Amino acid sequence: MSKNFSLQPLLELMRDRTDEATRRLGQLVAAEQNARSRLDLLTQYREEYVQRFRDAQTQGMTQQAWQNYQDFIDKIDTAIAQQTEMVQASAQNTAAGQEHWKAQNTKLKAIDTLAVRHQHALQRKELRQEQKQQDEYVTRRYQQEHNGQG
């Protein structure tokens, strides 16, 4: 049995791929969180702006001011709709990244299991060789002692 694990290059490749998938997943999660934060800010801003609009209505406002508020709320609604789509796309990207990471991790575990088995087999072989050498040594000592006394 060779001391070198024949799949070592594949093991290293799978480690690299898993590391890259982990980094990419981290980026995707961060991007999704960023998109959600922007959506939350837009939603919060809309609520604040609507409240200002209501306050202005109670104090009386011109038709032009009323139209300006409405136009701006429509623009915020459009931005919220676009940002919602971005959040959904980002969530899908994150889910795909998670699946990719899981697949890479599963492959890595499989190769790593083979590497561990290989290492255990080497250890067992080394232990057997050591035991054999000890047995031979004991046998020689016994023969020497008994041949010398006879």
Side-chain angles (χ1 to χ4, degrees), residues 27-70:
Q27 292 169 346
L28 292 169
V29 168
E32 182 180 348
Q33 289 172 344
N34 190 15
R36 287 186 189 281
S37 292
R38 279 185 262 146
L39 178 59
D40 290 344
L41 284 173
L42 282 170
T43 303
Q44 181 182 351
Y45 184 65
R46 183 191 190 283
E47 290 170 7
E48 291 170 5
Y49 198 78
V50 167
Q51 186 56 49
R52 279 192 259 162
F53 176 55
R54 288 183 186 135
D55 292 345
Q57 283 179 317
T58 61
Q59 296 174 5
M61 61 186 341
T62 66
Q63 179 65 25
Q64 183 61 40
W66 187 88
Q67 188 61 47
N68 288 343
Y69 271 104
Q70 284 300 118

Side-chain angles (χ1 to χ4, degrees), residues 130-146:
E130 288 174 14
Q131 185 64 46
K132 182 180 176 183
Q133 289 172 350
Q134 288 176 358
D135 291 347
E136 289 173 357
Y137 175 76
V138 168
T139 301
R140 280 194 308 271
R141 292 279 301 182
Y142 178 81
Q143 288 174 349
Q144 288 173 353
E145 289 175 6
H146 283 77

Side-chain angles (χ1 to χ4, degrees), residues 99-115:
E99 290 303 314
H100 178 69
W101 176 83
K102 285 178 189 176
Q104 290 303 125
N105 200 43
T106 299
K107 291 175 187 177
L108 173 60
K109 284 181 181 180
I111 300 298
D112 193 52
T113 298
L114 292 175

